[in-house]
Amino acid sequence: MKHSRTDMQSGTQGPADTVQSSKNPGKSPGTAPDNTAVPGRRGGLRRLPRPVYGHIDSQSNILIPRHHKHTWAQLSYAIQGYLQVWTPDARFVALPQRAVWIPAGVTHQVRQSPHTVIRSLYLDADALGLDWSACRVLAVSPLLHELIRQFSTLPIEYDPDGPDGRLARVLADQLAVSPDAGLILPWPTDPRLQSVCRQLQSHPDSAPDLGAFSRRLGLSDKTLTRLFQRQTGLGFRLWRQRARLVHALPLLERGDRITDVALACGYDSLSSFIAAFRAHTGVTPRAFAAGAREDDPPARG
């Protein structure tokens, strides 16, 4: 199912109680009176019917506009286009052939690009032996790509002891060995640093240097540098570079000229932009632009 959007944004929610909003916790999905999965109804899920759940009509394939959290883990994946997962701690960018692991209980929001087609999964991490407690971006191998696609076509309550159940175990094995491979933009908690990061994101083409921010905040350059490192794990220049590259993604996807995108992201040199983009994403801007619009591109390792 395709979701058309004018920019990187979230979609709409079905009429249901499959998530627990961070603003209004309410009742846990597991405490619903019937505690059953309702086949074919978006939002009818009260519990995971199987350790891996990825039906094409499930809530995992429909974006939810607000920040929310689940009582199960989620693998957020796009078979076409790319997506971002925002948590209080970071922005996780899943380019083609990448997916974001979201542990149970982590407040998040998924944002998609205009051409994104989602085929995500809900998972019982304990049952599958996947004990990752933090979000991460994983490389999706060709085999894992096909397994995720296959799960969108299975019956909701497939036979756990039959061929479909064995596929679920293969999928868990493939996830367990998937390497980290993502563009992650850590988000600070310090209000002073948040204001700096918001400006770097909003105006990547004219962002002030470290000294200008230091003077505005009444801090020394050394103090602001240490604060950046402590809060984000990145230096000022590296954080700004990642923010610029994240800003470039929707521009490239909609077909803007690469030279114009480089200028819009604050790069004076096209070669510098291409080198930075490739270093952080593994592909050139041109290759990303072509792949992000391709209809269900073949996965690569």
Side-chain angles (χ1 to χ4, degrees):
M1 66 188 67
K2 295 188 179 181
H3 305 262
S4 296
R5 299 288 182 269
T6 56
D7 58 4
M8 196 77 167
Q9 61 183 351
S10 57
T12 57
Q13 182 188 5
D17 173 4
T18 63
V19 297
Q20 184 174 333
S21 170
S22 58
K23 293 181 179 179
N24 181 22
K27 193 183 297 181
S28 166
T31 62
D34 55 356
N35 197 35
T36 58
V38 181
R41 274 185 48 201
R42 290 174 182 165
L45 194 64
R46 297 293 182 267
R47 61 175 175 81
L48 290 186
R50 295 292 183 266
V52 180
Y53 175 73
H55 193 269
I56 194 170
D57 202 37
S58 73
Q59 195 72 45
S60 56
N61 294 320
I62 306 159
L63 293 185
I64 298 169
R66 67 183 184 276
H67 285 85
H68 62 283
K69 55 188 175 182
H70 306 287
T71 57
W72 41 69
Q74 178 176 340
L75 186 74
S76 196
Y77 179 60
I79 61 171
Q80 177 185 320
Y82 72 102
L83 53 82
Q84 295 184 29
V85 173
W86 287 25
T87 73
D89 300 323
R91 309 322 189 215
F92 299 86
V93 182
L95 301 175
Q97 291 85 58
R98 304 291 184 266
V100 182
W101 172 268
I102 308 167
V106 172
T107 300
H108 65 281
Q109 182 183 46
V110 180
R111 298 188 172 201
Q112 68 179 47
S113 65
H115 301 277
T116 298
V117 178
I118 300 174
R119 292 291 181 269
S120 296
L121 302 174
Y122 289 150
L123 305 105
D124 183 337
D126 292 336
L128 297 171
L130 300 170
D131 58 354
W132 300 323
S133 59
C135 289
R136 59 196 304 182
V137 183
L138 302 171
V140 175
S141 69
L143 176 56
L144 184 55
H145 172 87
E146 292 302 326
L147 287 167
I148 294 171
R149 280 169 48 94
Q150 179 68 14
F151 266 90
S152 71
T153 67
L154 296 184
I156 291 177
E157 296 189 342
Y158 56 82
D159 180 2
D161 298 318
D164 297 336
R166 290 192 290 274
L167 274 182
R169 292 191 287 275
V170 172
L171 187 146
D173 289 342
Q174 288 296 303
L175 272 178
V177 298
S178 296
D180 291 320
L183 184 57
I184 300 174
L185 192 65
W187 197 254
T189 57
D190 187 290
R192 297 168 298 176
L193 212 54
Q194 287 181 347
S195 69
V196 172
C197 292
R198 280 193 294 267
Q199 184 165 348
L200 291 174
Q201 279 196 311
S202 301
H203 305 285
D205 58 336
S206 60
D209 59 17
L210 179 70
F213 284 118
S214 299
R215 290 189 293 273
R216 192 182 80 184
L217 296 174
L219 302 172
S220 69
D221 287 0
K222 285 186 176 181
T223 299
L224 185 56
T225 297
R226 286 196 298 268
L227 187 61
F228 242 103
Q229 190 67 44
R230 185 168 65 247
Q231 288 268 309
T232 70
L234 302 176
F236 172 83
R237 291 181 182 276
L238 182 54
W239 198 99
R240 181 173 63 180
Q241 184 180 66
R242 289 193 187 182
R244 286 174 166 175
L245 296 178
V246 170
H247 183 79
L249 299 178
L251 306 182
L252 290 169
E253 188 191 30
R254 75 186 184 192
D256 289 12
R257 291 195 320 147
I258 296 175
T259 300
D260 294 338
V261 175
L263 292 172
C265 294
Y267 284 87
D268 297 326
S269 164
L270 178 60
S271 60
S272 296
F273 170 67
I274 293 174
F277 192 93
R278 187 166 193 167
H280 284 273
T281 67
V283 296
T284 65
R286 188 179 304 279
F288 167 78
R293 301 178 68 91
E294 193 174 296
D295 188 14
D296 194 10
R300 303 174 183 87

